[in-house]
Amino acid sequence: MPSLLHLDSGANRSGESIGRQLTALFADTWRSVHGPADYRYRDLVTDPVPPLDTAYCSLGRRLERNGLVPAAEVDALTESPAEEREWALTRPLIADLLAADTVLIGAPMYNYSISAALKAWIDRVSFPGAFTHPDTGTGLLAGTRVVVISTRGGAYGPGTPLEACDFQNPYLRAYFGRQGVAAENIHFVNAEMTMAGLVPHLADFRPLAANSLAAARSEVTSLAAAR
């Protein structure tokens, strides 16, 4: 049965959030096609992932010294209550990611990159060996599809003056690629100039913003409906 892990990471949780509107459109479309049974949602702002600490690092380094081990065996390698707590926070997040056929990420651009809330999730699930089969060494995310819905106040697409300032999509592409997600399974939907309707000096770009949003909605619907 197809499964969807839906993550929102934008600080604006109001109905004005274009990013949350688009991720909701994806999730609603996906559930209308596949059913609601295997849908999991986490708001990384209201339910934040705790930042890493020394115990997480100590446990991770111990695993690296011992070679890759199955997640079920990590508990036996913990050496303190702090390490047990860190693994208890980490294990379910990794399990959710591994169980998902599609990972939907709402990722607004903040200061040319991703939000701190999303980065905290990435840091924690990136536990040594989490996405590698301990016996074969093959990647466990090879068949996973990742859909990133990115909203930007300006324009950062190819050929724009700020193209080189987009450290968001290239970072996420590189990250998930290194975790074993196939390049053809990583999709980006970008809604640009989202501030044009609010900021007076961007008023001339409102038609561009409207076209970008319409294209994003169409692409979101298409990706969500794909089987």
Side-chain angles (χ1 to χ4, degrees):
M1 177 182 295
S3 57
L4 174 64
L5 174 62
H6 173 184
L7 304 172
D8 274 326
S9 67
N12 183 2
R13 300 183 60 250
S14 75
E16 294 181 347
S17 170
I18 293 175
R20 287 176 181 265
Q21 292 173 25
L22 289 172
T23 60
L25 174 61
F26 186 105
D28 290 344
T29 305
W30 186 92
R31 284 180 289 187
S32 71
V33 173
H34 301 288
D38 207 352
Y39 167 76
R40 293 180 304 285
Y41 175 72
R42 180 161 185 155
D43 187 329
L44 296 174
V45 176
T46 60
D47 186 15
V49 173
L52 309 186
D53 68 4
T54 301
Y56 179 103
C57 297
S58 298
L59 179 59
R61 289 176 178 176
R62 189 172 307 116
L63 258 69
E64 290 180 308
R65 286 194 296 269
N66 283 275
L68 299 178
V69 300
E73 298 179 13
V74 174
D75 287 298
L77 294 173
T78 60
E79 294 184 353
S80 69
E83 290 185 3
E84 292 175 3
R85 182 173 60 252
E86 287 300 299
W87 180 236
L89 290 169
T90 304
R91 182 178 55 239
L93 301 179
I94 293 173
D96 278 348
L97 181 51
L98 287 173
D101 295 308
T102 297
V103 180
L104 169 65
I105 300 175
M109 177 184 279
Y110 290 162
N111 301 309
Y112 309 122
S113 188
I114 62 173
S115 69
L118 179 54
K119 185 59 166 60
W121 177 84
I122 286 175
D123 288 344
R124 186 162 288 279
V125 299
S126 303
F127 195 76
F131 307 121
T132 304
H133 194 287
D135 298 324
T136 65
T138 57
L140 298 176
L141 297 179
T144 303
R145 182 176 66 147
V146 175
V147 178
V148 177
I149 297 179
S150 168
T151 46
R152 296 108 173 274
Y156 299 85
T160 62
L162 293 177
E163 177 183 0
C165 294
D166 178 7
F167 299 101
Q168 178 192 47
N169 286 3
Y171 166 71
L172 291 172
R173 187 183 302 279
Y175 171 75
F176 283 107
R178 288 291 295 172
Q179 302 309 315
V181 179
E184 63 270 21
N185 288 339
I186 305 175
H187 305 272
F188 291 89
V189 180
N190 301 318
E192 301 211 310
M193 300 303 303
T194 59
M195 295 296 292
L198 301 174
V199 181
H201 74 268
L202 295 177
D204 289 345
F205 295 101
R206 287 173 185 171
L208 176 63
N211 290 338
S212 179
L213 180 56
R217 284 177 172 152
S218 177
E219 189 173 0
V220 162
T221 303
S222 178
L223 286 168
R227 293 184 178 271

